[in-house]
């Protein structure tokens, strides 16, 4: 591969070298075709899933069924959506072109923004350990309401998430390699001592500690709930969902953080296949989160079913012969409406002979005077 030859011929005054925005200068044609297709498939499926989750949570808050956990999970879905729509397409274009064609601004900010979103995801899941699973009372029905501390927590999370990856933006630059332009991250030797310490603290503080704390907290909480309750309640189910989310995030982001730290601590260059596999898992993690919520979280699953029925009922209005059943009114009203519809339809359609004979016998309802069983009533009316 040309990648290996270029990596071995980097300047001697840099302590580490890494490609930004995806591995470039690859000569294998199958990678150029397979990687963009795989990343686009992950982006489309994950974006649809996260949009549905966001729609369900917004609907719950407007109907007064919101909670602190739902507010944080909505923020998590928004972060996953940003990763899939803004970061993954950059990698797809890079793998297809094999060089950098997106300009210096994207080169400087793409890894910084992606790391900001990844750190924010981990910290948001850690903050859910403090959030309540019960419904949040809405002061005005129809208003999107969340507790004030959640706004402060999310603001703090995003500030920290944007500050920590700043070196990803400082060391990124464009280089000319023959007729190709590549985007790389190079750290000078003069900053190697400080940055070596930083790259040990950064993954530990933003990934290892939050993931271990979140997994330990939800494992203990779930164990306590199961042991003290014969049948786990709603809170235990939500705890299980958050435990699965934290476990999936920790496992699927571990290769990305491992290769990131491996390169920046000055060890031997990891295999190219491992780097590509870690990047694919990072985007797949953002697509797995809505799947976990839709299959395990009761509120999300019920909301998805409700949205499906609403969509199908609205679509059936265009078909005159199919109507969505209504449950309003009592049985007598429904029966009378059905009879009225049948009678009106009988005017234009074929009438059954027995029914026609029945109504013909009922047409002359006048009672003759000599056959009147109560003549005194007629006499009183005449008086």
């Amino acid at each position: 591969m040309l990648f290996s030859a270029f990596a071995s011929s980097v300047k001697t005054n840099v302590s580490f070298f890494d490609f930004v925005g995806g591995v470039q200068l690859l000569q294998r044609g199958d990678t150029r075709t397979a990687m963009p297709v795989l990343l686009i498939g992950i982006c489309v499926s994950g974006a649809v899933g996260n949009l549905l989750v966001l729609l369900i949570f917004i609907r719950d808050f407007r109907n007064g069924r919101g909670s602190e956990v739902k507010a944080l999970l909505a923020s998590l879905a928004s972060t996953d959506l940003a990763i899939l729509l803004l970061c993954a397409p950059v990698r797809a274009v890079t793998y297809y072109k094999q060089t950098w064609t997106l300009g210096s601004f994207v080169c400087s900010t793409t890894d910084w923004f992606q790391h900001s979103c990844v750190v924010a995801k981990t910290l948001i899941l850690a903050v859910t350990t403090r959030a309540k699973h019960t419904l949040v009372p809405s002061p005005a029905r129809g208003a999107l309401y969340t507790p004030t501390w959640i706004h402060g927590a999310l603001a703090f999370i995003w500030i920290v998430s944007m500050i920590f990856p700043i070196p990803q933006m400082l060391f990124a630059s464009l280089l000319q390699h023959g007729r190709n332009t590549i985007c790389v991250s190079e750290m000078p030797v003069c900053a190697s001592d400080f940055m070596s310490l930083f790259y040990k603290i950064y993954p530990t503080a933003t990934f290892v500690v939050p993931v271990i704390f979140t997994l330990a907290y939800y494992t203990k909480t779930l164990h306590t709930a199961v042991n003290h309750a014969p049948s786990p309640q709603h809170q235990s189910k939500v705890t299980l969902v958050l435990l699965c989310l934290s476990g999936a995030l920790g496992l699927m982001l571990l290769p990305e953080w491992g290769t990131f730290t491996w390169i920046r601590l000055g060890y031997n260059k990891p295999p190219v296949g491992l780097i590509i596999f870690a990047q694919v898992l990072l985007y797949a993690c953002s697509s797995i989160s809505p799947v976990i919520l839709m299959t395990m979280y009761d509120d999300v699953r019920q909301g998805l079913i409700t949205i499906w029925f609403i969509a199908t009922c609205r679509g059936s209005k265009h078909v005159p012969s199919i109507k969505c059943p209504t449950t309003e009114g009592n049985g007598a009203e429904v029966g009378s409406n059905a009879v009225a519809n049948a009678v009106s339809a009988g005017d234009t359609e074929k009438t059954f002979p027995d029914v026609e004979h029945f109504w013909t016998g009922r047409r002359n309802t006048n009672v003759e005077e000599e056959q009147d069983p109560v003549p005194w009533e007629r006499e009183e009316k005449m008086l």
Side-chain angles (χ1 to χ4, degrees):
M1 289 186 179
L2 185 58
F3 164 75
S4 301
F6 181 80
S8 61
S9 62
V10 293
K11 294 178 288 186
T12 58
N13 61 344
V14 297
S15 60
F16 81 84
F17 162 84
D18 187 24
F19 284 109
V20 174
V23 181
Q24 300 150 54
L25 302 180
L26 292 174
Q27 292 181 333
R28 297 185 59 179
D30 54 350
T31 304
R32 178 179 181 180
T33 305
M35 283 300 298
V37 173
L38 180 61
L39 292 178
I40 291 174
I42 292 175
C43 288
V44 173
S45 59
V48 171
N50 284 290
L51 282 174
L52 286 175
V53 169
L54 278 176
L55 182 62
I56 291 169
F57 284 145
I58 292 174
R59 185 174 177 273
D60 286 347
F61 272 99
R62 290 184 175 179
N63 293 336
R65 297 194 301 270
S67 65
E68 296 177 359
V69 168
K70 288 183 180 180
L72 293 175
L73 290 179
S75 302
L76 183 67
S78 303
T79 307
D80 285 332
L81 199 61
I83 292 175
L84 292 172
L85 295 182
L86 299 178
C87 300
V90 174
R91 270 68 181 175
V93 172
T94 302
Y95 280 112
Y96 179 73
K97 295 290 186 179
Q98 301 294 323
T99 58
W100 190 259
T101 58
L102 300 176
S104 59
F105 176 76
V106 180
C107 174
S108 301
T109 57
T110 178
D111 271 17
W112 167 79
F113 181 74
Q114 177 170 290
H115 269 256
S116 299
C117 293
V118 170
V119 173
K121 285 180 58 177
T122 308
L123 297 181
I124 287 173
L125 280 176
V127 171
T128 57
T129 59
R130 187 184 179 275
K132 297 179 181 179
H133 303 166
T134 55
L135 298 182
V136 175
S138 179
R141 185 175 179 82
L144 185 62
Y145 171 74
T146 54
T148 306
W149 76 269
I150 290 184
H151 296 285
L154 289 176
F156 176 77
I157 285 172
W158 277 104
I159 290 174
V160 171
S161 302
M162 291 181 177
I163 290 176
F164 262 109
I166 284 180
Q168 300 297 104
M169 185 167 49
L170 296 178
F171 297 140
S173 61
L174 291 176
L175 289 181
Q176 197 70 26
H177 180 69
R179 300 176 59 182
N180 299 321
T181 301
I182 58 175
C183 180
V184 298
S185 178
E186 293 181 326
M187 186 179 67
V189 176
C190 59
S192 60
D193 294 335
F194 172 78
M195 295 309 299
S196 177
L197 177 63
F198 173 79
Y199 284 126
K200 294 176 183 177
I201 298 175
Y202 172 46
T204 304
T206 59
F207 175 71
V208 177
V209 173
V211 168
I212 292 178
F213 168 75
T214 307
L215 290 175
Y217 175 84
Y218 284 123
T219 302
K220 180 181 178 181
T221 304
L222 187 63
H223 181 266
T224 303
V226 171
N227 287 342
H228 289 79
S231 58
Q233 298 177 354
H234 177 72
Q235 183 171 350
S236 301
K237 295 181 180 179
V238 177
T239 303
L240 180 60
V241 172
L242 295 174
L243 177 62
C244 292
L245 279 176
S246 303
L249 182 140
L251 289 176
M252 300 185 76
L253 293 185
L254 183 60
E256 172 66 20
W257 281 107
T259 55
F260 175 84
T261 309
W262 187 349
I263 294 172
R264 280 151 183 79
L265 290 184
Y267 300 112
N268 294 330
K269 195 75 174 178
V272 181
L274 179 61
I275 297 176
I276 296 176
F277 176 72
Q279 293 180 1
V280 172
L281 280 185
L282 186 148
Y283 301 121
C285 179
S286 298
S287 299
I288 289 295
S289 297
V291 176
I292 295 176
L293 291 175
M294 290 179 185
T295 54
M296 300 184 63
Y297 198 177
D298 292 340
D299 292 350
V300 175
R301 188 168 61 251
Q302 293 298 327
L304 186 64
I305 294 173
T306 302
I307 292 176
W308 171 259
F309 276 114
I310 291 175
T312 53
C313 285
R314 286 182 178 177
S316 64
K317 289 182 179 180
H318 301 285
V319 183
S321 60
I322 302 176
K323 286 188 177 181
C324 294
T326 58
T327 57
E328 299 178 356
N330 53 21
E333 293 174 349
V334 175
S336 61
N337 292 333
V339 173
N341 292 334
V343 173
S344 61
D347 295 337
T348 57
E349 297 179 357
K350 182 179 179 180
T351 307
F352 292 99
D354 294 340
V355 178
E356 185 178 6
H357 175 72
F358 174 78
W359 286 110
T360 304
R362 294 291 189 223
R363 286 175 183 172
N364 187 12
T365 57
N366 295 328
V367 182
E368 298 180 0
E369 295 182 3
E370 58 273 11
Q371 296 179 354
D372 193 354
V374 284
W376 54 86
E377 291 184 358
R378 184 170 55 85
E379 293 175 0
E380 290 178 357
K381 292 179 182 179
M382 293 177 64
L383 293 176

